[in-house]
Amino acid sequence: QVQLVESGGGLVQAGGSLRLSCAASGRTFSSYAMGWFRQAPGKERDFVATINWNGASTYYADSVKGRFTISRDNAKNTLWLQMNTLKPEDTAVYYCAANPRGTYYNYHLYDYWGQGTQVTVSS
């Protein structure tokens, strides 16, 4: 098992930046592909970005491509999501997730989840 704790959310104006962190503990962090997902009130949980076990492969939702960057440091057991040029439509609870199989877009394929961190972008 792996335990995940997100941090770094907050309130930011449109055009601003935030950096989310996801601290992992438990089994070897490098064994897992990681993903970021987000969920706005009344909406489905949406894929944001995913990264493979060693950081060599990353994939993004079209809505965040060019603005968000996913990265990881296996020595620090930490995953990040750098979010730039934020828009009001980026407002959501952001979750990090882990799975031992691969970089998936489908949240159902992730086994472990953090509790989420709120990101609010004001216009």
Side-chain angles (χ1 to χ4, degrees):
Q1 266 195 343
V2 62
Q3 291 78 44
L4 304 172
V5 179
E6 302 97 335
S7 61
L11 173 64
V12 63
Q13 288 190 331
S17 298
L18 281 175
R19 189 191 198 199
L20 305 184
S21 299
C22 174
S25 60
R27 293 191 63 181
T28 308
F29 178 63
S30 61
S31 299
Y32 296 91
M34 301 296 296
W36 285 100
F37 293 80
R38 65 187 182 186
Q39 189 166 18
K43 295 190 176 181
E44 286 279 312
R45 189 165 296 191
D46 288 334
F47 167 74
V48 175
T50 183
I51 189 168
N52 76 326
W53 70 275
N54 66 356
S57 298
T58 58
Y59 304 94
Y60 297 91
D62 288 343
S63 59
V64 307
K65 204 171 294 183
R67 299 188 298 123
F68 291 11
T69 302
I70 188 172
S71 61
R72 68 188 296 164
D73 186 333
N74 289 341
K76 295 181 178 180
N77 288 353
T78 303
L79 174 76
W80 293 282
L81 184 68
Q82 178 66 44
M83 305 187 294
N84 298 329
T85 319
L86 282 160
K87 304 175 181 180
E89 51 264 43
D90 294 319
T91 295
V93 177
Y94 283 70
Y95 300 89
C96 66
N99 87 83
R101 292 171 295 276
T103 50
Y104 300 121
Y105 291 29
N106 186 338
Y107 71 88
H108 292 288
L109 298 177
Y110 286 78
D111 301 313
Y112 305 104
W113 291 85
Q115 83 290 348
T117 186
Q118 175 71 47
V119 171
T120 303
V121 185
S122 63
S123 57

